[in-house]
Amino acid sequence: VEYTPMEVKLYDAVTDYVIEGFNLAKTLEKENRAIGFVMVLFQKRMVSSIQAIRLSLGRRLDALREHLKTMDEGEVSISTEEQRKLKDYNEDPDSLDDRDRQELERKLETLPFRLQRSLIEKEISQLEPLTKLAAAVKTDSKKNELLRFLEAILTKDPAEKVIVFTEYVDTLEYLEGEISQSALFKKNNWKTCIIHGGMD
């Protein structure tokens, strides 16, 4: 899929943010694994969908602003159980079920790397323009390509069933909304169904 210039600009900006995060991880040995996880998560969510990265950036910015209001200088930590899950995930990403992985990702994507006002303020100053840029990206080329693909298959055989896999529930819910609201699906009264590992 070929990105638009705005998508490329966002991708490059997220990549710069990720590189800076990895550089920070080298200086904060204790938090190194968590920072690395968050940076990989942001890069993967960027290529998952514009909506996934938009939501992640927004959640992190909101959480850091909240930490800034209520903070005491000191260490930031995750529980022993979360550390174990993170270690397992780093060694084998398939070792966690969808629910555990999603909970760990949500916790880490909103956790400051250190309760140090200057670090949090610096990251907020990076995230503010990034979230504005993500909000300004109106085209999702991957989503558009998927809709063209579905149209080609279903126009040829309207009874065909198609399974679309996503890594993130944010992308799944976004695509389900976009697909079900598309003119083609409405016109033909086609249905969508979501299944994910967080369901009972």
Side-chain angles (χ1 to χ4, degrees):
V1 175
E2 193 169 331
Y3 278 165
T4 64
M6 279 293 283
E7 287 173 301
V8 171
K9 186 176 178 182
L10 177 61
Y11 182 89
D12 290 344
V14 169
T15 301
D16 290 343
Y17 168 71
V18 165
I19 289 169
E20 187 148 343
F22 273 119
N23 289 337
L24 176 63
K26 291 176 188 173
T27 67
L28 303 177
E29 286 184 32
K30 189 174 179 184
E31 299 89 349
N32 192 312
R33 184 178 288 154
I35 297 172
F37 181 91
V38 173
M39 293 300 106
V40 168
L41 174 65
F42 276 86
Q43 198 76 58
K44 287 168 73 177
R45 289 178 72 86
M46 174 66 220
V47 297
S48 180
S49 69
I50 298 300
Q51 180 68 356
I53 190 62
R54 194 180 285 135
L55 291 172
S56 283
L57 292 169
R59 284 191 291 258
R60 183 151 185 86
L61 179 57
D62 291 344
L64 291 181
R65 285 175 173 158
E66 196 56 37
H67 280 295
L68 208 53
K69 289 181 196 171
T70 60
M71 69 179 290
D72 294 316
E73 298 271 338
E75 293 296 312
V76 177
S77 62
I78 56 177
S79 72
T80 305
E81 178 64 13
E82 288 165 336
Q83 289 175 19
R84 184 196 60 76
K85 286 179 181 177
L86 181 56
K87 182 177 182 293
D88 290 347
Y89 182 87
N90 279 331
E91 291 171 1
D92 177 13
D94 294 326
S95 63
L96 299 182
D97 65 30
D98 288 350
R99 183 174 291 158
D100 282 347
R101 184 175 63 92
Q102 188 174 348
E103 285 173 4
L104 182 63
E105 288 172 353
R106 285 287 165 89
K107 171 79 181 273
L108 291 175
E109 82 176 0
T110 60
L111 197 68
F113 301 132
R114 180 169 282 180
L115 284 174
Q116 188 175 324
R117 182 168 290 276
S118 61
L119 279 178
I120 295 175
E121 287 174 343
K122 181 179 181 188
E123 190 173 356
I124 287 172
S125 72
Q126 292 173 302
L127 285 167
E128 286 172 337
L130 254 182
T131 55
K132 286 178 185 165
L133 178 58
V137 176
K138 301 303 180 197
T139 301
D140 187 330
S141 296
K142 286 182 76 177
K143 182 253 323 183
N144 291 344
E145 189 63 32
L146 174 62
L147 287 173
R148 283 191 286 275
F149 176 78
L150 291 173
E151 182 174 359
I153 289 176
L154 297 172
T155 301
K156 187 175 178 182
D157 181 2
E160 186 70 69
K161 290 177 175 58
V162 181
I163 299 175
V164 178
F165 291 92
T166 69
E167 185 166 0
Y168 300 106
V169 174
D170 285 337
T171 297
L172 178 67
E173 291 171 345
Y174 162 68
L175 288 177
E176 194 273 338
E178 293 290 311
I179 291 166
S180 64
Q181 293 303 308
S182 69
L184 182 70
F185 269 65
K186 283 184 165 182
K187 182 180 92 175
N188 291 285
N189 208 23
W190 290 332
K191 303 291 180 213
T192 59
C193 175
I194 282 184
I195 302 170
H196 63 76
M199 300 167 100
D200 60 23

